[in-house]
Amino acid sequence: MKRVFSGVQPSGVLHLGNYFGAIRRFVDFQDGYDCYYCIVDLHAITVYQDPKELPKQIQDTALYYLAAGLDPKKTTLFVQSDVPCHAELSWILECVATFGELSRMTQFKDKAEGKESVSAGLFTYPVLMAADILLYDTDIVPVGEDQKQHVELCRDLAERFNSRYGETFKMPEPFIPQFGSRIKSLQDPNKKMSKSDPDPNSYISLDDPKDEIVKKIRRAVTDSGREIIYLPEEKPAIANLMTIYALCTGKSLPEIEQHFSGKGYADFKKDLADVVIQELMPVQERYKDYRNSGDLPHILREGAVKANQVSSGVLKRAKERLGLSLLIDPTQRKF
Ligand code: AQP
């Protein structure tokens, strides 16, 4: 069976972009693939997280994975910091990565822009992501468009390590959905929807109540004109809203254009709010069911045990190639 790995940061409440660009795709892979899905809390702390809030954010991210349809019997769900190999392989790969290539990562540039000081962890974030992926001998990495450059870096690091030290890592392929891989901000269609956007009107969170969804969609920016047509260059705001509509309903863009022909933005936004609510209400119900069931700690413990087993084998392989000690008990060192 081919192996799939991906992760989501517990850096806030998940939004429609995370849902359509990532976790709903994760569910598609669970039949027929060996899936490892991670709550990447070590990535989240590259920017400040309130230590009182972080445990709840980790729990909620895991609950939303389950609420979106992940079956813990079919997939391995775990928290990154429960598996120490991630941090260890990350350091090893940092010694293979170059300062120049990390400086070219656009996500770092975006996140660092305008800030007086950023953590070194934010700079080396893509290397930790490479370690996450390579530790599971991953074949496929489902991600949104924004992570494409990071998966490419992961492949470069794997290739460089393999040619320097001998065949060690499997070469992963990104899987970026053709549609929905870059849901845009509702307030600025030039930016992606993001949980750390200071304007809450820019995103729809998976836990937004119905009236909030209606309000946010009503306030979403539109383009000039009044026609509902898909022209991403000329009408990026409407194209984004149509993308969300298509993802919620399964309708094609020409079908949507035809359905709203002769109608204006107000009618379209009203229907869009309805279909988003129809998509998200069952997710919110399942979230509550999983939270009330109390099953989560057990699911995450089992996931961590399995993830530790697999990743420690790959880390051992890498350390062997490097000529590093494999001893679990350092008091047994012989030379
Ligand atoms: N707007 C988006 N459209 C489609 N996919 C998206 N993803 C994120 N935003 C969009 C995908 O969701 C997965 C998890 O992302 P993440 O939480 O690890 O980090 P991120 O990409 O940095 O997402 P955010 O929301 O922008 O988080 P913050 O604000 O904390 O940095 C990834 O597969 C990502 O591609």
Side-chain angles (χ1 to χ4, degrees):
M1 245 202 241
K2 287 203 166 178
R3 195 167 279 165
V4 172
F5 176 93
S6 199
V8 175
Q9 296 185 72
S11 47
V13 185
L14 303 189
H15 53 71
L16 273 189
N18 299 134
Y19 179 72
F20 287 123
I23 56 176
R24 216 175 73 168
R25 295 282 83 75
F26 298 174
V27 177
D28 297 339
F29 279 103
Q30 69 182 349
D31 293 302
Y33 292 85
D34 182 19
C35 298
Y36 286 74
Y37 294 127
C38 187
I39 295 110
V40 289
D41 52 351
L42 297 178
H43 283 275
I45 60 164
T46 54
V47 294
Y48 178 78
Q49 303 293 333
D50 182 343
K52 289 196 207 79
E53 296 296 321
L54 189 57
K56 179 169 184 326
Q57 287 169 202
I58 293 170
Q59 180 187 327
D60 274 357
T61 305
L63 287 169
Y64 274 114
Y65 269 112
L66 297 167
L70 277 190
D71 180 348
K73 293 195 188 75
K74 296 180 184 165
T75 63
T76 304
L77 182 62
F78 67 101
V79 179
Q80 187 184 29
S81 63
D82 287 343
V83 184
C85 298
H86 289 247
E88 195 171 350
L89 183 62
S90 180
W91 176 255
I92 289 172
L93 294 176
E94 275 183 46
C95 299
V96 174
T98 67
F99 183 82
E101 64 193 342
L102 293 185
S103 308
R104 288 192 288 276
M105 295 292 117
T106 53
Q107 193 178 69
F108 172 74
K109 288 190 212 164
D110 290 346
K111 290 196 171 180
E113 199 186 337
K115 305 230 168 65
E116 240 173 57
S117 155
V118 291
S119 73
L122 192 67
F123 185 67
T124 55
Y125 174 117
V127 185
L128 177 58
M129 180 166 159
D132 299 339
I133 296 166
L134 298 177
L135 276 172
Y136 297 90
D137 284 333
T138 301
D139 295 287
I140 303 167
V141 191
V143 281
E145 177 71 36
D146 60 319
Q147 297 296 334
K148 188 171 176 223
Q149 197 187 24
H150 291 168
V151 182
E152 278 161 9
L153 175 83
C154 169
R155 288 171 56 88
D156 289 345
L157 296 181
E159 211 167 74
R160 198 174 307 149
F161 189 101
N162 288 350
S163 73
R164 214 176 266 178
Y165 300 106
E167 205 57 27
T168 309
F169 297 121
K170 196 162 192 178
M171 205 54 74
E173 294 287 343
F175 175 86
I176 298 172
Q178 271 192 325
F179 206 62
S181 63
R182 194 172 177 84
I183 303 291
K184 314 281 176 53
S185 155
L186 299 182
Q187 291 301 314
D188 179 357
N190 297 312
K191 291 198 316 198
K192 71 163 193 149
M193 189 177 278
S194 185
K195 25 181 147 63
S196 53
D197 193 315
D199 180 359
N201 282 318
S202 69
Y203 53 80
I204 293 175
S205 298
L206 298 191
D207 70 351
D208 274 344
K210 286 182 193 173
D211 56 340
E212 198 65 22
I213 296 173
V214 172
K215 259 194 262 166
K216 286 183 179 180
I217 292 179
R218 203 187 298 134
R219 287 179 191 148
V221 296
T222 47
D223 311 286
S224 54
R226 63 182 305 276
E227 270 180 297
I228 314 302
I229 41 172
Y230 187 77
L231 294 171
E233 297 298 320
E234 288 160 53
K235 288 166 81 89
I238 288 298
N240 185 41
L241 298 180
M242 288 177 77
T243 301
I244 297 173
Y245 191 99
L247 288 162
C248 289
T249 57
K251 286 202 166 98
S252 69
L253 295 166
E255 277 172 333
I256 298 169
E257 286 177 346
Q258 203 181 352
H259 184 76
F260 288 100
S261 147
K263 294 184 185 160
Y265 291 160
D267 287 327
F268 171 61
K269 282 181 163 183
K270 192 174 156 303
D271 278 16
L272 177 62
D274 286 344
V275 299
V276 171
I277 287 169
Q278 270 167 37
E279 180 72 31
L280 292 190
M281 288 309 120
V283 175
Q284 295 187 5
E285 283 305 314
R286 286 195 294 271
Y287 164 89
K288 280 186 216 141
D289 291 345
Y290 269 110
R291 193 187 54 196
N292 296 338
S293 75
D295 290 344
L296 188 65
H298 174 70
I299 292 170
L300 294 178
R301 268 197 300 272
E302 283 207 328
V305 168
K306 198 164 160 214
N308 266 301
Q309 274 164 4
V310 175
S311 60
S312 57
V314 178
L315 179 66
K316 181 169 175 275
R317 206 159 72 208
K319 289 176 79 174
E320 232 161 8
R321 298 278 192 274
L322 285 159
L324 292 173
S325 165
L326 302 175
L327 293 173
I328 305 293
D329 178 0
T331 61
Q332 299 301 306
R333 188 180 265 290
K334 291 279 174 354
F335 73 92

Coordinates of all heavy atoms in Angstrom, one line a residue, residues 9 11-18 47 49 110-111 115 182-205 208 216 221 240:
Q9 N -1.4 22.6 11.3 CA -0.9 23.3 12.5 C -2.1 23.6 13.4 O -3.1 24.1 13.0 CB -0.3 24.6 12.2 CG 0.9 24.6 11.3 CD 1.5 26.0 11.2 OE1 2.0 26.6 12.1 NE2 1.3 26.6 10.0
S11 N -2.7 26.1 15.1 CA -2.4 27.5 15.3 C -3.7 28.3 15.4 O -3.6 29.6 15.4 CB -1.5 28.0 14.3 OG -1.9 27.7 13.0
G12 N -4.8 27.7 15.5 CA -6.1 28.4 15.6 C -7.2 27.6 15.1 O -6.9 26.4 14.7
V13 N -8.4 28.1 15.0 CA -9.5 27.3 14.5 C -9.4 27.1 13.0 O -9.1 28.0 12.3 CB -10.9 28.0 14.9 CG1 -12.0 27.0 14.5 CG2 -11.0 28.3 16.3
L14 N -9.6 25.9 12.6 CA -9.4 25.6 11.1 C -10.5 26.3 10.3 O -11.6 26.6 10.8 CB -9.5 24.1 10.9 CG -8.5 23.2 11.6 CD1 -8.6 21.7 11.1 CD2 -7.1 23.7 11.5
H15 N -10.1 26.6 9.1 CA -11.0 27.4 8.2 C -11.3 26.6 7.0 O -10.8 25.5 6.8 CB -10.4 28.8 7.9 CG -9.0 28.7 7.3 ND1 -8.8 28.2 6.1 CD2 -7.8 29.0 7.9 CE1 -7.5 28.2 5.9 NE2 -6.9 28.7 6.9
L16 N -12.2 27.2 6.1 CA -12.6 26.5 4.9 C -11.4 26.1 4.0 O -11.5 25.1 3.3 CB -13.6 27.4 4.1 CG -15.1 27.4 4.4 CD1 -15.8 28.2 3.4 CD2 -15.6 25.9 4.5
G17 N -10.4 27.0 4.0 CA -9.2 26.6 3.2 C -8.5 25.4 3.7 O -8.2 24.5 2.9
N18 N -8.3 25.3 5.0 CA -7.7 24.0 5.5 C -8.6 22.8 5.2 O -8.1 21.7 4.9 CB -7.6 24.1 7.1 CG -6.7 25.2 7.5 OD1 -7.1 25.9 8.5 ND2 -5.5 25.4 6.9
V47 N 5.6 30.5 15.8 CA 5.1 31.8 16.2 C 4.5 31.7 17.5 O 4.1 30.6 17.9 CB 4.1 32.5 15.2 CG1 4.8 32.8 13.8 CG2 2.9 31.6 15.0
Q49 N 2.4 31.0 20.7 CA 1.1 30.4 21.0 C 1.0 30.5 22.5 O 1.9 30.2 23.2 CB 1.1 28.9 20.6 CG 1.3 28.6 19.1 CD 0.3 29.2 18.2 OE1 -0.9 29.3 18.5 NE2 0.7 29.5 17.0
D110 N 6.7 35.8 3.4 CA 5.4 36.4 3.7 C 5.2 36.6 5.2 O 4.7 37.6 5.7 CB 4.2 35.5 3.2 CG 4.2 35.5 1.7 OD1 4.8 36.4 1.1 OD2 3.5 34.6 1.1
K111 N 5.5 35.5 6.0 CA 5.3 35.6 7.4 C 6.2 36.5 8.2 O 5.9 37.0 9.2 CB 5.3 34.2 8.0 CG 4.1 33.3 7.5 CD 3.9 32.1 8.4 CE 2.6 31.4 8.0 NZ 2.3 30.2 8.7
K115 N 7.8 42.3 10.2 CA 8.1 42.0 11.6 C 9.5 42.4 12.0 O 10.4 42.2 11.2 CB 7.9 40.5 11.8 CG 6.6 39.9 11.4 CD 5.9 39.1 12.5 CE 4.5 38.8 12.3 NZ 4.2 38.0 11.1
R182 N -6.3 26.6 -3.2 CA -5.9 27.9 -2.7 C -7.2 28.8 -2.5 O -7.6 29.5 -3.4 CB -4.9 28.6 -3.6 CG -4.3 29.9 -3.0 CD -3.2 30.4 -3.9 NE -2.7 31.6 -3.4 CZ -1.7 31.6 -2.5 NH1 -1.2 30.5 -2.0 NH2 -1.3 32.8 -2.0
I183 N -7.9 28.6 -1.4 CA -9.1 29.4 -1.1 C -8.6 30.7 -0.6 O -7.7 30.8 0.2 CB -9.9 28.7 0.0 CG1 -10.3 27.2 -0.4 CG2 -11.2 29.5 0.3 CD1 -11.3 27.2 -1.5
K184 N -9.2 31.8 -1.2 CA -8.7 33.1 -0.9 C -9.4 33.8 0.3 O -10.6 33.4 0.6 CB -8.8 34.0 -2.1 CG -8.4 33.4 -3.4 CD -6.9 33.5 -3.5 CE -6.3 32.8 -4.8 NZ -6.9 33.2 -6.0
S185 N -8.8 34.8 0.8 CA -9.4 35.6 1.9 C -10.7 36.2 1.4 O -10.8 36.6 0.2 CB -8.5 36.7 2.3 OG -9.2 37.8 2.8
L186 N -11.8 36.2 2.2 CA -13.0 36.8 1.8 C -12.9 38.4 1.7 O -13.8 39.0 1.2 CB -14.2 36.5 2.8 CG -14.5 35.0 3.0 CD1 -15.6 34.8 3.9 CD2 -14.8 34.3 1.6
Q187 N -11.9 38.9 2.3 CA -11.7 40.4 2.3 C -10.7 40.8 1.3 O -10.7 42.0 1.0 CB -11.3 40.8 3.7 CG -12.5 40.7 4.7 CD -13.7 41.5 4.3 OE1 -13.6 42.6 3.9 NE2 -14.9 40.8 4.4
D188 N -9.8 39.9 0.8 CA -8.8 40.3 -0.1 C -8.4 39.1 -1.0 O -7.7 38.2 -0.6 CB -7.6 40.8 0.6 CG -6.5 41.2 -0.4 OD1 -6.6 41.0 -1.6 OD2 -5.4 41.7 0.1
P189 N -9.0 39.0 -2.2 CA -8.8 37.8 -3.0 C -7.4 37.6 -3.5 O -7.1 36.6 -4.2 CB -9.8 37.9 -4.1 CG -10.1 39.4 -4.2 CD -10.0 39.9 -2.8
N190 N -6.5 38.6 -3.2 CA -5.1 38.4 -3.6 C -4.4 37.6 -2.5 O -3.2 37.2 -2.7 CB -4.4 39.8 -3.7 CG -5.1 40.5 -4.9 OD1 -5.3 40.0 -5.9 ND2 -5.5 41.8 -4.6
K191 N -5.0 37.4 -1.3 CA -4.3 36.7 -0.2 C -5.0 35.4 0.0 O -6.2 35.3 -0.2 CB -4.4 37.5 1.1 CG -3.6 38.8 1.1 CD -3.4 39.4 2.5 CE -4.6 39.4 3.4 NZ -4.5 40.3 4.6
K192 N -4.3 34.4 0.5 CA -5.0 33.1 0.8 C -5.8 33.3 2.1 O -5.4 34.1 3.0 CB -4.0 32.0 0.9 CG -3.1 31.9 2.1 CD -2.5 30.6 2.2 CE -1.8 30.5 3.6 NZ -1.8 29.2 4.2
M193 N -6.8 32.5 2.3 CA -7.5 32.4 3.6 C -6.6 31.9 4.6 O -5.9 30.8 4.3 CB -8.8 31.6 3.4 CG -9.7 31.6 4.6 SD -11.2 30.6 4.3 CE -12.2 31.7 3.4
S194 N -6.4 32.5 5.7 CA -5.4 32.1 6.7 C -6.0 32.3 8.1 O -6.6 33.3 8.4 CB -4.2 33.0 6.5 OG -3.2 32.5 7.3
K195 N -5.6 31.3 9.0 CA -6.2 31.4 10.4 C -5.5 32.5 11.2 O -6.1 33.0 12.1 CB -6.1 30.1 11.2 CG -5.1 29.0 10.8 CD -5.2 27.8 11.7 CE -4.9 26.5 11.0 NZ -3.5 26.5 10.5
S196 N -4.3 32.9 10.8 CA -3.7 33.9 11.6 C -4.0 35.3 11.0 O -3.4 36.3 11.4 CB -2.2 33.7 11.6 OG -1.7 33.5 10.4
D197 N -4.9 35.4 10.0 CA -5.3 36.8 9.6 C -6.0 37.5 10.7 O -6.9 37.0 11.3 CB -6.3 36.6 8.4 CG -6.5 37.9 7.6 OD1 -6.7 38.9 8.3 OD2 -6.4 37.9 6.4
P198 N -5.6 38.7 11.0 CA -6.2 39.4 12.1 C -7.6 39.8 11.9 O -8.4 40.1 12.8 CB -5.3 40.7 12.3 CG -4.5 40.8 11.0 CD -4.5 39.5 10.4
D199 N -8.1 39.8 10.6 CA -9.5 40.2 10.4 C -10.4 38.9 10.3 O -10.3 38.2 9.3 CB -9.6 40.9 9.0 CG -11.0 41.3 8.7 OD1 -11.9 41.0 9.5 OD2 -11.2 42.0 7.6
P200 N -11.2 38.6 11.3 CA -12.0 37.4 11.3 C -13.0 37.3 10.1 O -13.5 36.3 9.8 CB -12.7 37.4 12.6 CG -12.5 38.8 13.2 CD -11.4 39.5 12.5
N201 N -13.3 38.5 9.5 CA -14.2 38.5 8.4 C -13.6 37.9 7.1 O -14.2 37.7 6.1 CB -14.7 39.9 8.0 CG -15.8 40.3 9.0 OD1 -16.7 39.6 9.3 ND2 -15.6 41.6 9.4
S202 N -12.2 37.7 7.2 CA -11.5 37.2 6.0 C -11.6 35.6 5.9 O -11.3 35.1 4.8 CB -10.1 37.6 6.1 OG -9.4 36.8 7.1
Y203 N -12.0 35.0 6.9 CA -12.1 33.5 6.9 C -13.4 33.0 7.5 O -14.0 33.6 8.3 CB -10.9 32.8 7.5 CG -10.7 33.3 9.0 CD1 -11.4 32.8 10.0 CD2 -9.7 34.2 9.3 CE1 -11.2 33.2 11.3 CE2 -9.5 34.6 10.6 CZ -10.2 34.1 11.6 OH -10.0 34.5 12.9
I204 N -13.8 31.8 7.0 CA -15.0 31.1 7.7 C -14.3 30.0 8.5 O -13.7 29.1 7.9 CB -16.0 30.6 6.6 CG1 -16.6 31.8 6.0 CG2 -17.0 29.7 7.3 CD1 -17.6 31.5 4.9
S205 N -14.5 30.0 9.8 CA -14.0 28.9 10.6 C -14.9 27.8 10.6 O -16.1 27.9 10.4 CB -13.8 29.4 12.1 OG -13.0 30.5 12.1
D208 N -17.8 28.3 13.0 CA -18.6 29.5 13.0 C -20.1 29.1 13.0 O -20.5 28.2 12.3 CB -18.4 30.3 11.6 CG -17.2 31.2 11.7 OD1 -16.8 31.5 12.9 OD2 -16.7 31.7 10.7
K216 N -20.5 36.8 7.4 CA -19.2 36.9 6.7 C -19.4 36.8 5.2 O -18.6 37.5 4.5 CB -18.3 35.8 7.2 CG -17.8 36.0 8.6 CD -16.9 34.9 9.1 CE -16.3 35.2 10.4 NZ -15.4 34.1 10.9
V221 N -15.9 40.7 0.0 CA -15.8 41.7 -1.1 C -16.2 41.0 -2.4 O -16.1 39.8 -2.6 CB -14.3 42.2 -1.2 CG1 -14.0 43.0 0.0 CG2 -13.3 41.1 -1.5
N240 N -13.5 33.2 -6.4 CA -13.2 32.5 -5.1 C -14.5 32.1 -4.5 O -14.6 30.9 -4.0 CB -12.5 33.5 -4.2 CG -12.1 32.9 -2.9 OD1 -11.6 31.8 -2.9 ND2 -12.3 33.6 -1.8

